[in-house]
Amino acid sequence: QTATPSTDTTRDYTPADVAFMSGMIYHHTQALLIAGWAPSHGAGADLRVLCERIINAQKDEIKIMGTWLAERHEPVPHPEPEHMMHAMSDHMMMPGMLSAEQLAQLDRARGEDFDETFLRFMIQHHEGAITMVNDLFAKGAGEENPVYKIASSVFADQTTEIERMQRMLAARMFGPLPSTNPR
């Protein structure tokens, strides 16, 4: 028998769109795991606020991506954050994802050590998400409006948070930066 080509002309998304949305669910789930450690690992107040923002934004995006996949009858990943600690298979190692060793290092850290390690690792993690967005667009994908909006939002949010985390890290390493506002 020969396969017959699909006659579905209503499909306005690509396999790359599906891979991006599915992959970003895993990517965001790892961020939920490590951001969720802030209270139990003695994070500073400013880092706790950042982590709460990350958790809220990425939970919302996971819901949107899952709905997008489900509406198109595509498989929807449902990873549990705590499973991201030990179940790191190769397909889950997308750009920026923390390795099992990095996760263990962060989990052992407390207080100021946690803050600095978290910031370094979350910057890496966010840079990976930006790479995923750039890869999506480089493939000529991400043109369907919901995918474009999600990918663009991820890019903008992660870029802004990287800048914020770099400032936070610099302040921890070098002390508060002088204000650039003239008096």
Side-chain angles (χ1 to χ4, degrees), residues 6-180:
S6 172
T7 57
D8 181 8
T9 58
T10 62
R11 185 167 151 165
D12 55 356
Y13 62 95
T14 69
D17 294 331
V18 174
F20 172 80
M21 298 294 250
S22 296
M24 196 56 70
I25 288 173
Y26 283 104
H27 207 271
H28 278 14
T29 300
Q30 188 181 67
L32 294 179
L33 170 71
I34 62 176
W37 289 345
S40 62
H41 288 60
D46 60 337
L47 191 72
R48 286 185 193 211
V49 169
L50 173 70
C51 287
E52 288 172 14
R53 288 180 182 156
I54 289 171
I55 289 168
N56 289 335
Q58 295 198 5
K59 276 185 177 179
D60 289 346
E61 287 179 356
I62 287 171
K63 286 179 191 169
I64 292 167
M65 291 181 281
T67 299
W68 183 89
L69 289 164
E71 287 174 350
R72 284 148 188 84
H73 307 287
E74 298 289 347
V76 180
H78 295 286
E80 291 295 324
E82 52 276 359
H83 294 153
M84 298 298 285
M85 185 72 181
H86 303 289
M88 299 299 292
S89 63
D90 288 341
H91 79 279
M92 292 167 61
M93 288 307 293
M94 289 156 278
M97 294 281 280
L98 302 188
S99 67
E101 295 80 24
Q102 288 175 312
L103 287 169
Q105 178 186 350
L106 182 60
D107 193 23
R108 287 189 305 268
R110 296 293 184 271
E112 290 178 20
D113 184 39
F114 177 83
D115 290 0
E116 184 177 330
T117 305
F118 176 89
L119 289 168
R120 290 179 188 280
F121 286 171
M122 189 57 84
I123 289 169
Q124 166 194 318
H125 197 268
H126 277 18
E127 287 172 343
I130 291 170
T131 297
M132 291 171 68
V133 171
N134 288 336
D135 289 349
L136 174 73
F137 291 145
K139 292 174 184 164
E143 294 183 4
E144 193 212 13
N145 192 36
V147 178
Y148 179 81
K149 286 172 83 173
I150 282 285
S152 298
S153 175
V154 166
F155 186 92
D157 292 348
Q158 308 282 305
T159 300
T160 301
E161 286 178 359
I162 287 170
E163 292 169 3
R164 180 179 297 129
M165 290 185 290
Q166 287 171 333
R167 285 192 307 272
M168 292 170 72
L169 189 57
R172 281 169 168 73
M173 294 174 65
F174 305 113
L177 300 176
S179 174
T180 57

